[in-house]
């Protein structure tokens, strides 16, 4: 049977949906490099099935340099997630703003884990057509800011909540209400996400929420503890290309640079 093709040609590049294509393309590109960090072959397969003006996208997202940002970011979150799932094989995973990311395929959790991928309804429709169904895997087509969908998620199991490349597109009040709602719903778990400094968010036309330090989010709920907040440059040594490895290494030595974009890990 021939795999179905997905038509993205009508998606405007000022639309937030477009951003998922950018990150998917970067992961796909990185998987084809000689010494990949993330090696997301599912992203490469997905890109082959999508119709889009990829030469134009290529010029916009500049994979030669930006592949490392998405690969390091996803690798860090994958490692944290795998660590959580090893300790909690009965977990519920909420992967918010999943886009077309193949995290569930990369981590391949045991069937004792229930995994929920959530994104806007039109993105979830694309996911349904792109990736195979699997047991204990659920798709939710809804806005993450809509409080209704959370009622359907079991609250009595350890929860792993991942939001990669999502929260900067919400406004501060929405992020705060979401975090409070999530922590209030579950008894225990972890919240993992990436975030940019407020000045960086202001530079992006779609950016709305920025974060300086995890303590800002800790203050939103008494059970939240920020346990790690590594800058995106932390794992510069993993970068195979000498020039970019040096660039990231230098950037890591400059506080204003390394703290412009970080990943955050909270327990609750
Ligand atoms: C930069 S993409 C990241 C996608 C994916 N996490 C990745 O790393 O490839 C941002 C994603 O957030 C989703 N998104 C933005 N606002 C949303 C909302 N209010 N509710 C659900 N998803 C949202 C977009 O549809 C898009 O898939």
């Amino acid at each position: 049977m021939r795999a179905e093709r997905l038509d993205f040609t009508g998606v405007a590049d000022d639309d937030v949906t477009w951003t998922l294509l950018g990150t998917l393309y970067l992961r796909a590109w990185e998987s084809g490099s000689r010494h990949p960090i993330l090696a997301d072959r599912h992203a490469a397969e997905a890109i082959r099935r999508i119709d889009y003006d990829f030469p134009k996208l290529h010029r916009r997202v500049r994979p030669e340099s930006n592949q490392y940002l998405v690969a390091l970011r996803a690798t860090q979150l994958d490692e944290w997630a795998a660590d959580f799932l090893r300790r909690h094989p009965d977990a519920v995973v909420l992967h918010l703003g999943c886009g077309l990311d193949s995290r569930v395929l990369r981590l391949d959790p045991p069937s004792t884990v229930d995994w929920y991928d959530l994104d806007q309804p039109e993105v979830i429709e694309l996911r349904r057509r792109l990736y195979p169904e699997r047991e204990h895997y659920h798709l939710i087509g809804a806005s993450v800011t809509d409080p209704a969908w959370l009622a359907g998620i079991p609250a009595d199991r350890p929860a792993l909540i991942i939001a990669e490349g999502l929260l900067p597109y919400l406004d501060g009040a929405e992020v705060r209400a979401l975090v409070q709602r999530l922590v209030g719903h579950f008894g225990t778990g972890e919240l993992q996400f990436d975030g940019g400094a407020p000045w960086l968010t202001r530079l992006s036309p779609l950016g709305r929420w920025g974060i300086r330090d995890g303590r800002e989010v800790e203050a939103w709920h008494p059970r939240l503890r920020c346990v790690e907040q590594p800058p995106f440059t932390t794992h510069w040594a993993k970068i195979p290309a000498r020039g970019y490895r040096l660039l990231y290494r230098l950037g890591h030595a400059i506080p204003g640079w390394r703290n412009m974009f970080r990943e955050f890990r909270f327990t609750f």
Side-chain angles (χ1 to χ4, degrees), residues 26-59:
L26 290 168
R27 286 191 296 272
W29 177 272
E30 200 267 342
S31 76
S33 73
R34 206 134 49 98
H35 302 288
I37 302 167
L38 183 68
D40 188 349
R41 66 179 173 82
H42 307 286
E45 283 163 23
I47 285 292
R48 280 197 285 273
R49 288 179 48 201
I50 292 174
D51 293 322
Y52 193 71
D53 184 351
F54 283 111
K56 184 173 160 205
L57 182 75
H58 188 98
R59 289 192 294 278

mmCIF file of all heavy atoms in Angstrom, residues 26-59:
data_model
loop_
_atom_site.group_PDB
_atom_site.id
_atom_site.type_symbol
_atom_site.label_atom_id
_atom_site.label_comp_id
_atom_site.label_asym_id
_atom_site.label_seq_id
_atom_site.Cartn_x
_atom_site.Cartn_y
_atom_site.Cartn_z
ATOM 1 N N LEU A 26 14.124 20.307 10.635
ATOM 2 C CA LEU A 26 15.452 20.358 11.256
ATOM 3 C C LEU A 26 15.853 18.994 11.823
ATOM 4 O O LEU A 26 16.996 18.560 11.677
ATOM 5 C CB LEU A 26 15.486 21.431 12.352
ATOM 6 C CG LEU A 26 15.430 22.882 11.843
ATOM 7 C CD1 LEU A 26 15.174 23.852 12.993
ATOM 8 C CD2 LEU A 26 16.725 23.253 11.123
ATOM 9 N N ARG A 27 14.897 18.310 12.440
ATOM 10 C CA ARG A 27 15.219 16.972 12.979
ATOM 11 C C ARG A 27 15.505 15.990 11.837
ATOM 12 O O ARG A 27 16.380 15.137 11.942
ATOM 13 C CB ARG A 27 14.084 16.454 13.872
ATOM 14 C CG ARG A 27 14.029 17.144 15.226
ATOM 15 C CD ARG A 27 13.071 16.430 16.173
ATOM 16 N NE ARG A 27 11.701 16.470 15.709
ATOM 17 C CZ ARG A 27 10.845 17.444 15.979
ATOM 18 N NH1 ARG A 27 11.201 18.446 16.747
ATOM 19 N NH2 ARG A 27 9.610 17.418 15.509
ATOM 20 N N ALA A 28 14.729 16.140 10.766
ATOM 21 C CA ALA A 28 14.948 15.253 9.609
ATOM 22 C C ALA A 28 16.330 15.499 9.016
ATOM 23 O O ALA A 28 17.078 14.567 8.710
ATOM 24 C CB ALA A 28 13.862 15.497 8.562
ATOM 25 N N TRP A 29 16.674 16.753 8.869
ATOM 26 C CA TRP A 29 17.974 17.122 8.308
ATOM 27 C C TRP A 29 19.100 16.559 9.180
ATOM 28 O O TRP A 29 20.063 15.971 8.694
ATOM 29 C CB TRP A 29 18.057 18.656 8.219
ATOM 30 C CG TRP A 29 19.380 19.150 7.730
ATOM 31 C CD1 TRP A 29 20.479 19.416 8.498
ATOM 32 C CD2 TRP A 29 19.759 19.420 6.378
ATOM 33 N NE1 TRP A 29 21.521 19.850 7.711
ATOM 34 C CE2 TRP A 29 21.101 19.853 6.404
ATOM 35 C CE3 TRP A 29 19.080 19.336 5.152
ATOM 36 C CZ2 TRP A 29 21.791 20.215 5.250
ATOM 37 C CZ3 TRP A 29 19.775 19.695 4.006
ATOM 38 C CH2 TRP A 29 21.112 20.129 4.065
ATOM 39 N N GLU A 30 18.929 16.736 10.484
ATOM 40 C CA GLU A 30 19.976 16.304 11.419
ATOM 41 C C GLU A 30 20.162 14.791 11.364
ATOM 42 O O GLU A 30 21.282 14.283 11.481
ATOM 43 C CB GLU A 30 19.588 16.750 12.834
ATOM 44 C CG GLU A 30 20.736 16.811 13.824
ATOM 45 C CD GLU A 30 20.951 15.562 14.630
ATOM 46 O OE1 GLU A 30 20.011 14.726 14.704
ATOM 47 O OE2 GLU A 30 22.041 15.399 15.198
ATOM 48 N N SER A 31 19.054 14.070 11.124
ATOM 49 C CA SER A 31 19.152 12.600 11.101
ATOM 50 C C SER A 31 20.001 12.124 9.922
ATOM 51 O O SER A 31 20.519 11.011 9.928
ATOM 52 C CB SER A 31 17.760 11.970 11.032
ATOM 53 O OG SER A 31 17.244 12.100 9.723
ATOM 54 N N GLY A 32 20.123 12.989 8.903
ATOM 55 C CA GLY A 32 20.901 12.600 7.731
ATOM 56 C C GLY A 32 22.365 12.984 7.836
ATOM 57 O O GLY A 32 23.145 12.687 6.922
ATOM 58 N N SER A 33 22.754 13.613 8.921
ATOM 59 C CA SER A 33 24.155 14.022 9.023
ATOM 60 C C SER A 33 25.018 12.804 9.394
ATOM 61 O O SER A 33 24.504 11.767 9.820
ATOM 62 C CB SER A 33 24.323 15.159 10.036
ATOM 63 O OG SER A 33 24.178 14.664 11.330
ATOM 64 N N ARG A 34 26.310 12.942 9.233
ATOM 65 C CA ARG A 34 27.206 11.783 9.391
ATOM 66 C C ARG A 34 27.218 11.261 10.843
ATOM 67 O O ARG A 34 27.240 10.066 11.087
ATOM 68 C CB ARG A 34 28.619 12.163 8.952
ATOM 69 C CG ARG A 34 29.414 10.988 8.484
ATOM 70 C CD ARG A 34 30.167 11.215 7.186
ATOM 71 N NE ARG A 34 30.938 12.444 7.178
ATOM 72 C CZ ARG A 34 32.242 12.504 7.439
ATOM 73 N NH1 ARG A 34 32.908 11.434 7.771
ATOM 74 N NH2 ARG A 34 32.880 13.650 7.358
ATOM 75 N N HIS A 35 27.167 12.190 11.797
ATOM 76 C CA HIS A 35 27.177 11.775 13.203
ATOM 77 C C HIS A 35 26.018 12.458 13.930
ATOM 78 O O HIS A 35 26.237 13.411 14.686
ATOM 79 C CB HIS A 35 28.512 12.155 13.867
ATOM 80 C CG HIS A 35 29.694 11.553 13.189
ATOM 81 N ND1 HIS A 35 29.996 10.212 13.263
ATOM 82 C CD2 HIS A 35 30.638 12.097 12.388
ATOM 83 C CE1 HIS A 35 31.074 9.966 12.555
ATOM 84 N NE2 HIS A 35 31.486 11.085 12.002
ATOM 85 N N PRO A 36 24.797 11.991 13.694
ATOM 86 C CA PRO A 36 23.650 12.687 14.283
ATOM 87 C C PRO A 36 23.614 12.578 15.806
ATOM 88 O O PRO A 36 24.093 11.587 16.380
ATOM 89 C CB PRO A 36 22.444 11.983 13.658
ATOM 90 C CG PRO A 36 22.940 10.660 13.216
ATOM 91 C CD PRO A 36 24.396 10.813 12.908
ATOM 92 N N ILE A 37 23.047 13.604 16.428
ATOM 93 C CA ILE A 37 22.893 13.597 17.896
ATOM 94 C C ILE A 37 21.578 12.899 18.248
ATOM 95 O O ILE A 37 21.523 12.000 19.055
ATOM 96 C CB ILE A 37 22.884 15.044 18.443
ATOM 97 C CG1 ILE A 37 24.170 15.769 18.066
ATOM 98 C CG2 ILE A 37 22.678 15.054 19.957
ATOM 99 C CD1 ILE A 37 24.132 17.287 18.294
ATOM 100 N N LEU A 38 20.501 13.318 17.603
ATOM 101 C CA LEU A 38 19.171 12.771 17.895
ATOM 102 C C LEU A 38 18.839 11.598 16.967
ATOM 103 O O LEU A 38 18.185 10.653 17.385
ATOM 104 C CB LEU A 38 18.118 13.879 17.740
ATOM 105 C CG LEU A 38 16.680 13.507 18.072
ATOM 106 C CD1 LEU A 38 16.510 13.229 19.564
ATOM 107 C CD2 LEU A 38 15.704 14.604 17.637
ATOM 108 N N ALA A 39 19.243 11.698 15.723
ATOM 109 C CA ALA A 39 19.014 10.631 14.727
ATOM 110 C C ALA A 39 17.529 10.264 14.610
ATOM 111 O O ALA A 39 17.171 9.089 14.738
ATOM 112 C CB ALA A 39 19.862 9.402 15.069
ATOM 113 N N ASP A 40 16.682 11.254 14.372
ATOM 114 C CA ASP A 40 15.232 11.019 14.310
ATOM 115 C C ASP A 40 14.835 10.576 12.901
ATOM 116 O O ASP A 40 14.408 11.366 12.072
ATOM 117 C CB ASP A 40 14.502 12.317 14.700
ATOM 118 C CG ASP A 40 13.009 12.115 14.848
ATOM 119 O OD1 ASP A 40 12.511 11.036 14.453
ATOM 120 O OD2 ASP A 40 12.345 13.034 15.351
ATOM 121 N N ARG A 41 14.933 9.263 12.665
ATOM 122 C CA ARG A 41 14.630 8.757 11.311
ATOM 123 C C ARG A 41 13.146 8.888 10.996
ATOM 124 O O ARG A 41 12.740 8.973 9.837
ATOM 125 C CB ARG A 41 15.108 7.314 11.140
ATOM 126 C CG ARG A 41 14.383 6.333 12.006
ATOM 127 C CD ARG A 41 14.854 4.896 11.797
ATOM 128 N NE ARG A 41 14.247 4.023 12.775
ATOM 129 C CZ ARG A 41 13.035 3.508 12.674
ATOM 130 N NH1 ARG A 41 12.291 3.759 11.621
ATOM 131 N NH2 ARG A 41 12.544 2.732 13.628
ATOM 132 N N HIS A 42 12.308 8.928 12.031
ATOM 133 C CA HIS A 42 10.865 9.087 11.800
ATOM 134 C C HIS A 42 10.574 10.460 11.196
ATOM 135 O O HIS A 42 9.683 10.613 10.366
ATOM 136 C CB HIS A 42 10.088 8.936 13.104
ATOM 137 C CG HIS A 42 10.409 7.670 13.827
ATOM 138 N ND1 HIS A 42 9.963 6.441 13.414
ATOM 139 C CD2 HIS A 42 11.171 7.434 14.931
ATOM 140 C CE1 HIS A 42 10.416 5.505 14.230
ATOM 141 N NE2 HIS A 42 11.152 6.087 15.157
ATOM 142 N N ALA A 43 11.338 11.466 11.637
ATOM 143 C CA ALA A 43 11.162 12.813 11.080
ATOM 144 C C ALA A 43 11.525 12.809 9.598
ATOM 145 O O ALA A 43 10.829 13.403 8.771
ATOM 146 C CB ALA A 43 12.029 13.815 11.841
ATOM 147 N N ALA A 44 12.600 12.111 9.258
ATOM 148 C CA ALA A 44 13.026 12.054 7.850
ATOM 149 C C ALA A 44 11.964 11.367 7.000
ATOM 150 O O ALA A 44 11.629 11.822 5.902
ATOM 151 C CB ALA A 44 14.364 11.327 7.750
ATOM 152 N N GLU A 45 11.383 10.276 7.531
ATOM 153 C CA GLU A 45 10.320 9.577 6.789
ATOM 154 C C GLU A 45 9.102 10.478 6.629
ATOM 155 O O GLU A 45 8.480 10.518 5.563
ATOM 156 C CB GLU A 45 9.918 8.294 7.524
ATOM 157 C CG GLU A 45 10.919 7.164 7.323
ATOM 158 C CD GLU A 45 10.760 6.051 8.357
ATOM 159 O OE1 GLU A 45 9.661 5.906 8.930
ATOM 160 O OE2 GLU A 45 11.766 5.343 8.590
ATOM 161 N N ALA A 46 8.769 11.219 7.678
ATOM 162 C CA ALA A 46 7.594 12.113 7.621
ATOM 163 C C ALA A 46 7.803 13.193 6.565
ATOM 164 O O ALA A 46 6.916 13.457 5.754
ATOM 165 C CB ALA A 46 7.354 12.732 9.000
ATOM 166 N N ILE A 47 8.966 13.788 6.557
ATOM 167 C CA ILE A 47 9.244 14.865 5.589
ATOM 168 C C ILE A 47 9.113 14.354 4.154
ATOM 169 O O ILE A 47 8.595 15.053 3.278
ATOM 170 C CB ILE A 47 10.659 15.460 5.849
ATOM 171 C CG1 ILE A 47 10.639 16.356 7.084
ATOM 172 C CG2 ILE A 47 11.191 16.225 4.632
ATOM 173 C CD1 ILE A 47 9.842 17.658 6.963
ATOM 174 N N ARG A 48 9.504 13.131 3.934
ATOM 175 C CA ARG A 48 9.412 12.572 2.568
ATOM 176 C C ARG A 48 7.972 12.452 2.106
ATOM 177 O O ARG A 48 7.707 12.374 0.917
ATOM 178 C CB ARG A 48 10.114 11.197 2.522
ATOM 179 C CG ARG A 48 11.635 11.318 2.416
ATOM 180 C CD ARG A 48 12.271 10.009 1.952
ATOM 181 N NE ARG A 48 12.296 9.016 3.028
ATOM 182 C CZ ARG A 48 13.283 8.940 3.920
ATOM 183 N NH1 ARG A 48 14.304 9.759 3.870
ATOM 184 N NH2 ARG A 48 13.257 8.017 4.871
ATOM 185 N N ARG A 49 7.039 12.430 3.063
ATOM 186 C CA ARG A 49 5.621 12.262 2.684
ATOM 187 C C ARG A 49 4.851 13.575 2.646
ATOM 188 O O ARG A 49 3.640 13.588 2.448
ATOM 189 C CB ARG A 49 4.963 11.293 3.664
ATOM 190 C CG ARG A 49 5.438 9.870 3.433
ATOM 191 C CD ARG A 49 4.815 8.912 4.403
ATOM 192 N NE ARG A 49 3.385 9.081 4.526
ATOM 193 C CZ ARG A 49 2.690 8.660 5.576
ATOM 194 N NH1 ARG A 49 3.296 8.063 6.569
ATOM 195 N NH2 ARG A 49 1.391 8.842 5.626
ATOM 196 N N ILE A 50 5.545 14.692 2.894
ATOM 197 C CA ILE A 50 4.854 15.985 2.952
ATOM 198 C C ILE A 50 5.167 16.802 1.697
ATOM 199 O O ILE A 50 6.319 16.877 1.266
ATOM 200 C CB ILE A 50 5.279 16.750 4.226
ATOM 201 C CG1 ILE A 50 4.730 16.029 5.466
ATOM 202 C CG2 ILE A 50 4.786 18.192 4.188
ATOM 203 C CD1 ILE A 50 5.187 16.603 6.781
ATOM 204 N N ASP A 51 4.118 17.394 1.121
ATOM 205 C CA ASP A 51 4.310 18.295 -0.021
ATOM 206 C C ASP A 51 4.417 19.719 0.505
ATOM 207 O O ASP A 51 3.498 20.207 1.169
ATOM 208 C CB ASP A 51 3.115 18.205 -0.989
ATOM 209 C CG ASP A 51 3.063 16.845 -1.656
ATOM 210 O OD1 ASP A 51 4.147 16.318 -1.981
ATOM 211 O OD2 ASP A 51 1.958 16.301 -1.816
ATOM 212 N N TYR A 52 5.521 20.358 0.210
ATOM 213 C CA TYR A 52 5.736 21.731 0.664
ATOM 214 C C TYR A 52 6.883 22.316 -0.137
ATOM 215 O O TYR A 52 7.659 21.577 -0.755
ATOM 216 C CB TYR A 52 6.068 21.741 2.174
ATOM 217 C CG TYR A 52 5.997 23.124 2.770
ATOM 218 C CD1 TYR A 52 4.779 23.775 2.949
ATOM 219 C CD2 TYR A 52 7.156 23.799 3.138
ATOM 220 C CE1 TYR A 52 4.707 25.052 3.465
ATOM 221 C CE2 TYR A 52 7.090 25.082 3.661
ATOM 222 C CZ TYR A 52 5.863 25.698 3.820
ATOM 223 O OH TYR A 52 5.804 26.964 4.329
ATOM 224 N N ASP A 53 7.018 23.630 -0.084
ATOM 225 C CA ASP A 53 8.130 24.281 -0.760
ATOM 226 C C ASP A 53 9.373 24.172 0.160
ATOM 227 O O ASP A 53 9.722 25.117 0.875
ATOM 228 C CB ASP A 53 7.757 25.752 -1.023
ATOM 229 C CG ASP A 53 8.844 26.484 -1.810
ATOM 230 O OD1 ASP A 53 9.932 25.903 -1.980
ATOM 231 O OD2 ASP A 53 8.595 27.629 -2.227
ATOM 232 N N PHE A 54 9.994 22.992 0.148
ATOM 233 C CA PHE A 54 11.100 22.763 1.080
ATOM 234 C C PHE A 54 12.348 23.620 0.815
ATOM 235 O O PHE A 54 13.017 24.015 1.776
ATOM 236 C CB PHE A 54 11.431 21.273 1.174
ATOM 237 C CG PHE A 54 10.429 20.534 2.017
ATOM 238 C CD1 PHE A 54 9.542 19.628 1.457
ATOM 239 C CD2 PHE A 54 10.325 20.784 3.378
ATOM 240 C CE1 PHE A 54 8.588 18.984 2.231
ATOM 241 C CE2 PHE A 54 9.370 20.150 4.168
ATOM 242 C CZ PHE A 54 8.505 19.245 3.582
ATOM 243 N N PRO A 55 12.648 23.946 -0.452
ATOM 244 C CA PRO A 55 13.794 24.854 -0.638
ATOM 245 C C PRO A 55 13.585 26.191 0.086
ATOM 246 O O PRO A 55 14.508 26.739 0.689
ATOM 247 C CB PRO A 55 13.847 25.038 -2.157
ATOM 248 C CG PRO A 55 13.239 23.777 -2.703
ATOM 249 C CD PRO A 55 12.166 23.394 -1.721
ATOM 250 N N LYS A 56 12.322 26.683 0.069
ATOM 251 C CA LYS A 56 12.034 27.946 0.762
ATOM 252 C C LYS A 56 12.159 27.753 2.287
ATOM 253 O O LYS A 56 12.762 28.572 2.988
ATOM 254 C CB LYS A 56 10.611 28.398 0.392
ATOM 255 C CG LYS A 56 10.226 29.729 0.966
ATOM 256 C CD LYS A 56 8.892 30.165 0.406
ATOM 257 C CE LYS A 56 8.272 31.215 1.310
ATOM 258 N NZ LYS A 56 6.828 31.259 1.185
ATOM 259 N N LEU A 57 11.609 26.643 2.768
ATOM 260 C CA LEU A 57 11.697 26.357 4.208
ATOM 261 C C LEU A 57 13.167 26.239 4.623
ATOM 262 O O LEU A 57 13.578 26.748 5.672
ATOM 263 C CB LEU A 57 10.954 25.050 4.522
ATOM 264 C CG LEU A 57 10.928 24.655 6.003
ATOM 265 C CD1 LEU A 57 9.939 25.526 6.772
ATOM 266 C CD2 LEU A 57 10.563 23.196 6.191
ATOM 267 N N HIS A 58 13.930 25.579 3.793
ATOM 268 C CA HIS A 58 15.356 25.391 4.068
ATOM 269 C C HIS A 58 16.047 26.746 4.277
ATOM 270 O O HIS A 58 16.805 26.931 5.230
ATOM 271 C CB HIS A 58 15.992 24.651 2.881
ATOM 272 C CG HIS A 58 17.400 24.243 3.116
ATOM 273 N ND1 HIS A 58 17.750 22.976 3.510
ATOM 274 C CD2 HIS A 58 18.557 24.950 3.051
ATOM 275 C CE1 HIS A 58 19.059 22.915 3.656
ATOM 276 N NE2 HIS A 58 19.569 24.095 3.381
ATOM 277 N N ARG A 59 15.732 27.688 3.397
ATOM 278 C CA ARG A 59 16.360 29.020 3.520
ATOM 279 C C ARG A 59 15.915 29.710 4.807
ATOM 280 O O ARG A 59 16.689 30.419 5.435
ATOM 281 C CB ARG A 59 15.993 29.891 2.303
ATOM 282 C CG ARG A 59 16.678 29.445 1.012
ATOM 283 C CD ARG A 59 16.537 30.491 -0.083
ATOM 284 N NE ARG A 59 15.161 30.687 -0.528
ATOM 285 C CZ ARG A 59 14.524 29.907 -1.432
ATOM 286 N NH1 ARG A 59 15.157 28.887 -1.987
ATOM 287 N NH2 ARG A 59 13.269 30.148 -1.772
#
